[in-house]
Amino acid sequence: MEQADILKEFKDAGAILSGHFILSSGLHSPTYLQCARVMMDATRGERLCAELARKVLAHKEFAIDAIVAPAMGGVVVGYEMGRQMKLPTMFCERVDGSFVLRRGFDLEAGSRVLIVEDVVTTGKSSMEAVACVEQYGAKAVAVCSLIDRRAQNDVTLTLPLVSLMKLDIPTYKPEALPDELKSIPGIKPGSRFLNQKAS
């Protein structure tokens, strides 16, 4: 798929939102990617994840044994990637602020894990998932996501990232908002915030 085709899938799904958004990283942005809307259409999700799986599998050096997706954003993408790649798939979820595996999920020591996200903004949640995986003696070898929206100088993510598309979307620290965002109330659209308005 070409970049224009991928972007069209997001636009057709109504998944590119404009306004004033407070991301789970704490950064502010005029654009939010609601990947849940993309994955709401199973056929569209299958199409996009098939392309992402193809890109990941091209990296023979990863030799992946299992997939772990951070809840909530990565769960649906993770399971479709597991189906495409024929790999066991599980998700980690927050307990007392840290990612853990629950629900009977477990990883074998030494297994090689792919972390699957919907969107990577800073890589912070991906690295928290890596820490979770390492608690079981497994090794996270790479991260994949539908969209990579990291800033060019962001070095939070220390693993290789495979994505369908890199988007250059501005983000701002709360103390450095441009005037156009200052005039709009910020909302927290991510699952971590349960759509609460910013205080």
Side-chain angles (χ1 to χ4, degrees), residues 117-159:
E117 296 262 26
D118 53 356
V119 178
V120 173
T121 301
T122 64
K124 183 173 181 280
S125 69
S126 299
M127 294 308 297
E128 289 176 314
V130 169
C132 171
V133 162
E134 289 175 346
Q135 291 174 20
Y136 295 83
K139 177 180 175 57
V141 295
V143 176
C144 76
S145 66
L146 296 175
I147 302 295
D148 172 8
R149 61 169 292 174
R150 294 173 301 161
Q152 274 191 330
N153 59 351
D154 196 319
V155 294
T156 306
L157 186 62
T158 59
L159 292 176

Side-chain angles (χ1 to χ4, degrees), residues 19-21 28 30 174 176-187 197:
H20 178 184
F21 303 101
H28 294 237
L177 295 180
D179 290 340
E180 59 268 23
L181 288 190
K182 287 180 184 175
S183 64
I184 306 170
I187 61 169
K197 284 203 169 183

Side-chain angles (χ1 to χ4, degrees), residues 31-199:
T31 304
Y32 186 77
L33 296 163
Q34 185 53 273
C35 287
R37 287 199 55 85
V38 173
M39 300 304 292
M40 196 169 82
D41 179 335
T43 304
R44 175 179 283 125
E46 178 182 24
R47 201 161 48 236
L48 290 170
C49 288
E51 180 68 10
L52 183 55
R54 185 190 64 74
K55 291 182 77 168
V56 171
L57 289 168
H59 291 268
K60 303 295 185 192
E61 71 276 15
F62 293 162
I64 301 157
D65 300 310
I67 287 172
V68 171
M72 282 292 298
V75 172
V76 179
V77 179
Y79 275 90
E80 179 58 27
M81 288 295 290
R83 192 178 75 84
Q84 295 282 345
M85 298 173 68
K86 298 177 174 51
L87 289 171
T89 303
M90 59 203 83
F91 59 88
C92 53
E93 51 195 311
R94 291 187 190 280
V95 175
D96 298 327
S98 298
F99 277 136
V100 296
L101 295 178
R102 298 177 63 211
R103 306 171 196 276
F105 293 148
D106 198 7
L107 288 166
E108 289 186 18
S111 59
R112 296 168 63 84
V113 177
L114 175 69
I115 306 296
V116 176
E117 296 262 26
D118 53 356
V119 178
V120 173
T121 301
T122 64
K124 183 173 181 280
S125 69
S126 299
M127 294 308 297
E128 289 176 314
V130 169
C132 171
V133 162
E134 289 175 346
Q135 291 174 20
Y136 295 83
K139 177 180 175 57
V141 295
V143 176
C144 76
S145 66
L146 296 175
I147 302 295
D148 172 8
R149 61 169 292 174
R150 294 173 301 161
Q152 274 191 330
N153 59 351
D154 196 319
V155 294
T156 306
L157 186 62
T158 59
L159 292 176
L161 173 64
V162 179
S163 69
L164 284 182
M165 183 168 56
K166 167 77 173 157
L167 287 179
D168 187 17
I169 299 173
T171 56
Y172 305 96
K173 292 183 178 177
E175 66 275 13
L177 295 180
D179 290 340
E180 59 268 23
L181 288 190
K182 287 180 184 175
S183 64
I184 306 170
I187 61 169
K188 298 175 176 179
S191 59
R192 197 183 302 184
F193 300 117
L194 301 175
N195 291 322
Q196 298 168 358
K197 284 203 169 183
S199 54

